[in-house]
């Protein structure tokens, strides 16, 4: 956040003479680049979120295989769910912690997301007769009231205004998933198998591979 500095003309002239700029050109370039990077990351998360929900039926058809395949299960999916509460703000889908002296960020992975969607809290009946999955929720930690939105992978229908379940149930599933992710990374660090653990695949690559398998 920008800090507003009250400065008189005399002090300004003295500072200019000393070339003591409040923000140097290099600093402002650096800030500009950071802003651009953040913007690109936001756009990327949006694109991936759309891709994930556009292919939700394909992903759910291969649920068991994804859960059993670490390079699929570990795909970052922190952007899929959106939650927030009164007084507490957005629910973080990522968590930073220190493992063996190294700062590590864990987030909701595709495997975690499928586990969360496996719980009754995150499932709702769609009018087409199939199951829809909750992807956004809001509520109050004080009253426990909530309102959620879901999408049906079969008919692509969006369901709004789901109010039948406590806010805490949604949050608990996310926190439990992040606890599991953290425990898995800590375990990988301490047992020295992190290289194997971190073998990666992208959401895009996985979708291509799954589509090829269905031809
Ligand atoms: Zn439906």
């Amino acid at each position: 956040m920008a800090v507003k500095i009250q400065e008189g003309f005399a002090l300004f002239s003295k500072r200019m003479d000393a070339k003591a700029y409040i923000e140097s050109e290099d600093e402002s370039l650096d800030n500009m680049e950071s802003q651009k990077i953040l913007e690109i990351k936001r756009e990327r998360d949006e694109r991936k979120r759309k891709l994930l929900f556009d292919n939700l039926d394909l992903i759910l058809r291969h649920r068991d295989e994804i859960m059993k395949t670490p390079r699929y299960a570990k795909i970052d999916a922190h952007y899929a769910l959106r939650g927030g509460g009164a007084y507490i703000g957005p629910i973080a889908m990522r968590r930073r912690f220190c493992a063996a002296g190294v700062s590590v960020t864990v987030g909701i992975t595709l495997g975690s997301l499928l586990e969360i969607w496996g719980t009754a809290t995150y499932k709702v009946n769609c009018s087409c007769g199939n199951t829809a999955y909750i992807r956004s929720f809001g509520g109050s930690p004080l009253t426990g009231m909530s309102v959620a939105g879901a999408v049906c992978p079969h008919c692509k229908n969006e369901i709004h205004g789901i109010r039948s379940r406590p806010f805490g149930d949604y949050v608990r599933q996310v926190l439990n998933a992040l606890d599991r992710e953290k425990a898995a990374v800590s375990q990988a660090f301490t047992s020295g198998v992190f290289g194997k653990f971190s073998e990666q695949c992208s959401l895009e690559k996985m979708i291509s591979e799954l589509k090829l398998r269905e031809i």
Side-chain angles (χ1 to χ4, degrees):
M1 209 201 320
V3 180
K4 198 176 175 188
I5 295 172
Q6 296 285 348
E7 184 180 51
F9 182 71
L11 187 58
F12 172 75
S13 304
K14 250 170 106 174
R15 193 163 57 73
M16 285 299 112
D17 287 346
K19 292 193 170 18
Y21 305 116
I22 289 172
E23 184 178 90
S24 72
E25 208 175 319
D26 287 340
E27 271 180 282
S28 72
L29 263 178
D30 189 50
N31 288 338
M32 233 162 61
E33 285 168 1
S34 300
Q35 286 298 323
K36 276 189 201 166
I37 291 167
L38 277 178
E39 192 50 43
I40 290 171
K41 280 186 175 171
R42 257 195 297 272
E43 285 171 9
R44 195 177 194 217
D45 286 349
E46 275 303 319
R47 179 184 61 75
K48 282 179 182 273
R49 188 172 200 259
K50 186 175 180 311
L51 183 71
L52 189 148
F53 284 107
D54 284 349
N55 288 280
L56 192 53
D57 49 349
L58 174 82
I59 290 170
L60 289 166
R61 275 199 299 278
H62 293 269
R63 182 181 191 276
D64 293 344
E65 184 191 347
I66 293 171
M67 305 276 280
K68 276 189 284 186
T69 312
R71 59 188 283 272
Y72 289 164
K74 292 294 162 198
I75 290 172
D76 171 37
H78 80 276
Y79 43 77
L81 295 179
R82 284 180 186 154
Y87 317 107
I88 55 172
I91 307 296
M93 298 295 167
R94 283 190 287 197
R95 188 185 293 169
R96 189 185 287 267
F97 72 105
C98 185
V102 181
S103 175
V104 182
T105 302
V106 292
I108 298 296
T109 57
L110 191 55
S112 290
L113 184 65
L114 291 172
E115 271 186 53
I116 288 172
W117 278 338
T119 65
T121 304
Y122 279 81
K123 285 195 264 198
V124 65
N125 292 329
C126 178
S127 55
C128 76
N130 287 293
T131 302
Y133 296 87
I134 284 171
R135 62 177 175 178
S136 62
F137 62 87
S140 164
L142 295 186
T143 64
M145 283 165 72
S146 73
V147 59
V151 65
C152 173
H154 306 278
C155 69
K156 312 288 179 197
N157 188 26
E158 287 186 32
I159 304 165
H160 302 285
I162 302 155
R163 295 176 187 272
S164 49
R165 37 207 93 179
F167 175 68
D169 287 3
Y170 292 120
V171 179
R172 195 169 307 112
Q173 294 296 342
V174 171
L175 296 181
N176 288 348
L178 287 173
D179 283 348
R180 286 194 297 272
E181 293 294 344
K182 184 182 165 188
V185 172
S186 299
Q187 165 78 19
F189 256 90
T190 48
S191 58
V193 293
F194 197 71
K196 195 178 170 196
F197 183 86
S198 62
E199 187 194 348
Q200 282 180 348
C201 176
S202 66
L203 179 71
E204 293 78 358
K205 190 170 173 54
M206 183 197 75
I207 286 172
S208 299
E209 289 177 5
L210 295 181
K211 278 183 178 169
L212 278 173
R213 225 161 293 169
E214 287 196 354
I215 291 172

